[in-house]
């Protein structure tokens, strides 16, 4: 990656995800720039196998595959829950803890079971964003938010592990608070602000 970040000037962008919640959230974050966001599933792009050993590696892998497959710039997110008491697990395997069906009710239950009686409920949500152009150039950004895990899960407004994550300073889990509030302070929002500051023009 060069020292100078590349500016995004196109009007169409592939969101390299088949997760409708994630696609919706990223689309909402992009709305001020009037960019047409199209998901990988809408373009029938296959989901590449996530073989990277970090959130950054997996985000770049997905963005690279979508940009090449669609011949359009592509934005990919790789994010997950890192639990202190579980030495950072499930981490990059967060979605896989839900099994083939990506059942996050089951994944949350597994996290809670594995923590067991450990009083340390601290955790963080981590997000890596990769923006790749069809010529292979990429820009990558990271963000994270600290918090604690609650049980049982609360709220139905979020997705994934949101209902069991209570961010520091919030009064409700990511499943309970208004999506606009989540967009202000989530791990994805932190990474997204870094991306916007580096690659997108100010919105007038």
């Amino acid at each position: 990656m060069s020292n100078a970040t590349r500016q995004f000037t196109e009007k169409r962008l592939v969101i390299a995800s088949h997760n409708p919640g994630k696609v919706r959230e990223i689309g909402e974050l992009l709305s001020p720039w009037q960019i047409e966001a199209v998901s990988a599933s809408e373009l029938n792009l296959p989901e590449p196998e996530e073989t990277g050993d970090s959130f950054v590696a997996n985000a770049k892998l997905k963005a690279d595959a979508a940009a090449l497959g669609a011949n359009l710039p592509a934005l990919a997110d790789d994010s997950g829950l890192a639990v202190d008491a579980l030495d950072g697990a499930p981490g990059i395997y967060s979605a896989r803890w839900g099994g083939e069906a990506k059942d996050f009710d089951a994944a949350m239950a597994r996290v809670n079971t594995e923590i067991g009686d450990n009083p340390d409920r601290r955790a963080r949500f981590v997000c890596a964003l990769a923006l790749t152009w069809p010529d292979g150039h990429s820009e990558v950004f990271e963000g994270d938010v600290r918090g604690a895990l609650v049980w049982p899960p609360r709220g139905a407004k979020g997705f994934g592990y949101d209902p069991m994550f209570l961010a520091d300073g919030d009064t409700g889990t990511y499943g309970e608070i208004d999506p606009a509030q989540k967009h202000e302070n989530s791990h994805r929002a932190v990474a997204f602000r870094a991306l916007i500051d580096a690659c997108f023009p100010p919105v007038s």
Side-chain angles (χ1 to χ4, degrees):
M1 193 162 70
S2 65
N3 291 328
T5 53
R6 181 181 290 187
Q7 296 299 292
F8 184 86
T9 58
E10 293 80 1
K11 291 298 181 185
R12 201 162 187 239
L13 178 67
V14 179
I15 308 301
S17 176
H18 290 251
N19 179 325
K22 192 177 288 188
V23 170
R24 181 176 62 252
E25 190 167 297
I26 293 174
E28 289 170 357
L29 289 167
L30 283 168
S31 61
W33 286 269
Q34 297 182 324
I35 293 164
E36 181 190 354
V38 56
S39 72
S41 58
E42 290 177 78
L43 297 176
N44 295 316
L45 296 175
E47 289 188 89
E49 188 176 352
E50 295 180 21
T51 56
D53 59 0
S54 68
F55 291 111
V56 165
N58 281 331
K60 190 173 182 309
L61 186 153
K62 290 185 280 190
D64 290 355
L68 182 65
N71 197 33
L72 288 167
L75 179 65
D77 153 299
D78 197 59
S79 54
L81 182 70
V83 181
D84 290 7
L86 303 182
D87 296 323
I92 61 171
Y93 304 109
S94 291
R96 289 174 227 184
W97 274 37
E100 286 290 324
K102 295 183 179 177
D103 180 348
F104 279 97
D105 287 336
M108 288 188 286
R110 178 179 172 187
V111 167
N112 189 62
T113 297
E114 296 212 9
I115 293 174
D117 295 330
N118 192 322
D120 183 3
R121 307 285 295 185
R122 298 291 294 167
R124 65 191 181 108
F125 260 138
V126 183
C127 173
L129 288 174
L131 175 61
T132 298
W133 282 261
D135 67 0
H137 180 90
S138 292
E139 302 286 355
V140 181
F141 305 88
E142 285 186 276
D144 71 347
V145 169
R146 298 281 309 174
L149 301 179
V150 303
W151 195 260
R154 306 193 317 239
K157 292 182 179 177
F159 63 94
Y161 294 92
D162 285 357
M164 74 181 305
F165 185 79
L166 181 64
D168 291 346
D170 282 351
T171 56
T173 70
Y174 276 176
E176 292 176 306
I177 63 175
D178 187 88
Q181 183 181 348
K182 182 187 174 187
H183 293 343
E184 286 294 314
N185 65 6
S186 74
H187 53 305
R188 191 165 291 111
V190 173
F192 200 83
R193 276 195 292 272
L195 165 72
I196 292 302
D197 289 348
C199 299
F200 284 73
V203 176
S204 55

